[in-house]
């Protein structure tokens, strides 16, 4: 039986939810590794809704769980139903929804607050010494929840050397799990590598 991995979404769409390419890439890599993945999202209202064609805010209201169901083809559960003892690891893809819906980093930066359910979920996996996979902007969650966790924010170039303004590289290296380290490293929107190292039960 493959490792059991929970994947947490923050909506659907890079500007107000989970980044679709990152979520899909994570699912592909986990599938190739033989993992059994279940998807979750908090049942809360989105901070805002962005028209992705025009790049402007919309006045409509949307629900994070309902929007995340688009990516999950409907096969998704409320984050409140996630039980840490049923999984070996947890993964958070990136997207501005993480910084808007799962925490308030988009508005408050280092003074942000993390959604209580997201916070307790991260703490539960960390306390159980189970790996955390954090992609793109998601490491800010760990930086806020875990004292002493270091997050580096960088800037990458395209393959041809030109500046890639919309492809901010981030990495989280979280230690303190008795030898385990975990994190996503995003080099650009076209290449995503997942690093998850023990301990697995």
């Amino acid at each position: 039986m493959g490792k059991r991995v929970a994947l947490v979404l923050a909506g659907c769409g890079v500007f107000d939810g989970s980044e679709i390419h990152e979520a899909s890439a994570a699912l592909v890599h986990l599938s190739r590794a033989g993992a059994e993945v279940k998807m979750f999202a908090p049942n809360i209202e989105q901070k805002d809704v962005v028209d992705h064609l025009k790049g402007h805010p919309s006045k409509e209201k949307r629900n994070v769980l309902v929007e995340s169901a688009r990516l999950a083809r409907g096969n998704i559960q409320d984050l409140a139903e996630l039980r840490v003892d049923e999984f070996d690891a947890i993964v958070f893809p990136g997207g501005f929804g993480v910084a808007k819906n799962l925490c308030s980093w988009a508005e408050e930066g280092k003074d942000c607050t993390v959604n209580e359910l997201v916070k307790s979920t991260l703490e539960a996996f960390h306390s159980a010494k189970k790996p955390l996979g954090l992609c793109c902007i998601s490491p800010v969650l760990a930086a806020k929840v875990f004292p002493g966790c270091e997050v580096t924010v960088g800037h990458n170039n395209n393959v041809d050397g030109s500046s890639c303004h919309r492809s901010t590289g981030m990495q989280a290296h979280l230690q303190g799990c008795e030898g385990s380290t975990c994190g996503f490293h995003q080099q650009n929107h076209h290449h995503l590598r997942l690093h998850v190292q023990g301990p697995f039960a």
Side-chain angles (χ1 to χ4, degrees):
M1 180 179 176
K3 302 303 180 184
R4 302 161 300 172
V5 179
L7 188 136
V8 180
L9 298 173
C12 181
V14 62
F15 298 125
D16 58 13
S18 290
E19 211 289 326
I20 296 171
H21 293 100
E22 292 172 12
S24 299
L27 289 168
V28 167
H29 283 285
L30 289 168
S31 176
R32 287 176 177 172
E36 178 185 340
V37 181
K38 289 189 178 180
M39 287 176 269
F40 297 85
N43 187 10
I44 57 176
E45 187 175 290
Q46 288 188 186
K47 177 65 178 177
D48 64 7
V49 176
V50 177
D51 181 330
H52 281 59
L53 179 61
K54 298 178 180 178
H56 300 304
S58 169
K59 293 182 179 180
E60 62 184 299
K61 301 292 184 182
R62 296 191 183 185
N63 178 280
V64 173
L65 178 59
V66 172
E67 289 303 297
S68 297
R70 294 174 180 270
L71 279 170
R73 296 183 174 183
N75 188 14
I76 192 168
Q77 294 175 261
D78 188 333
L79 184 59
E81 299 175 11
L82 190 155
R83 299 292 177 264
V84 66
D85 60 335
E86 297 178 356
F87 295 92
D88 300 301
I90 191 167
V91 173
F92 288 77
F96 282 105
V98 173
K100 293 179 176 180
N101 304 324
L102 304 191
C103 71
S104 59
W105 189 86
E107 288 187 335
E108 300 175 305
K110 64 182 179 63
D111 297 318
C112 71
T113 57
V114 177
N115 173 277
E116 282 300 320
L117 185 54
V118 172
K119 181 176 182 288
S120 63
T121 299
L122 285 167
E123 290 174 335
F125 273 84
H126 185 252
S127 295
K129 298 179 173 56
K130 295 183 177 182
L132 312 172
L134 301 158
C135 180
C136 192
I137 196 64
S138 294
V140 299
L141 298 172
K144 192 65 180 180
V145 172
F146 304 113
C149 176
E150 294 184 1
V151 175
T152 58
V153 182
H155 190 81
N156 295 299
N157 292 328
N158 289 313
V159 176
D160 63 2
S162 62
S163 179
C164 186
H165 297 290
R166 294 178 61 187
S167 181
T168 302
M170 294 192 69
Q171 62 180 3
H173 189 200
L174 176 61
Q175 296 181 312
C177 301
E178 294 186 357
S180 71
T181 61
C182 44
F184 266 105
H185 296 259
Q186 183 194 351
Q187 292 187 328
N188 55 53
H189 281 302
H190 307 290
H191 182 67
L192 182 68
R193 292 181 294 150
L194 170 63
H195 298 271
V196 179
Q197 301 171 343
F200 282 120

